[in-house]
Amino acid sequence: MDIIVTLFLFAGLFFFTGGALGILRFPDFYSRLHPAGKLDTLGLLLAMVGLALFNLHHFCLGALLTSLKIILIVVFVFLASPTATHAIVDAGVRAGLAPWVKGDERR
């Protein structure tokens, strides 16, 4: 069980790191939102599943309820993250922020 939990946590860390690198490396506002929305959500899913499994080491009703709450957090993030990313992109479009074009300087 410890190996599975460790794998989930390292996989989550891997996707969080990829998201952070994408935010730093991508050229403009719109493309930086992609790793922020996708990779952070997947990293959160994997890390939270690992934590929920770790919490079930000593199985009892309290631990089961805590793990269910952790999974509910994941469900909430899966609903809220795409909506928030879409709202941020919409705000950028309404503010007149032009997307990056190949050959332009990074912004």
Side-chain angles (χ1 to χ4, degrees), residues 13-26 35-36 39-40:
L13 180 66
F14 175 76
F15 283 103
F16 276 130
T17 304
L21 285 175
I23 290 170
L24 293 175
R25 301 271 309 167
F26 282 177
L39 294 177
D40 285 352

Side-chain angles (χ1 to χ4, degrees), residues 43-63:
L44 176 99
L45 168 72
L46 294 171
M48 293 300 246
V49 167
L51 291 175
L53 288 176
F54 179 75
N55 190 42
L56 291 174
H57 264 225
H58 302 288
F59 189 78
C60 65
L61 183 60

Side-chain angles (χ1 to χ4, degrees), residues 22-33:
I23 290 170
L24 293 175
R25 301 271 309 167
F26 282 177
D28 73 335
F29 171 75
Y30 298 112
S31 59
R32 287 180 187 142
L33 284 174

Side-chain angles (χ1 to χ4, degrees), residues 21-99:
L21 285 175
I23 290 170
L24 293 175
R25 301 271 309 167
F26 282 177
D28 73 335
F29 171 75
Y30 298 112
S31 59
R32 287 180 187 142
L33 284 174
H34 184 73
K38 304 277 186 205
L39 294 177
D40 285 352
T41 305
L42 184 58
L44 176 99
L45 168 72
L46 294 171
M48 293 300 246
V49 167
L51 291 175
L53 288 176
F54 179 75
N55 190 42
L56 291 174
H57 264 225
H58 302 288
F59 189 78
C60 65
L61 183 60
L64 180 65
L65 289 176
T66 302
S67 293
L68 286 175
K69 289 175 188 174
I70 291 171
I71 298 303
L72 283 176
I73 291 170
V74 171
V75 170
F76 174 73
V77 169
F78 263 76
L79 292 175
S81 180
T83 306
T85 303
H86 177 77
I88 293 169
V89 168
D90 188 48
V93 169
R94 289 175 191 255
L97 188 62

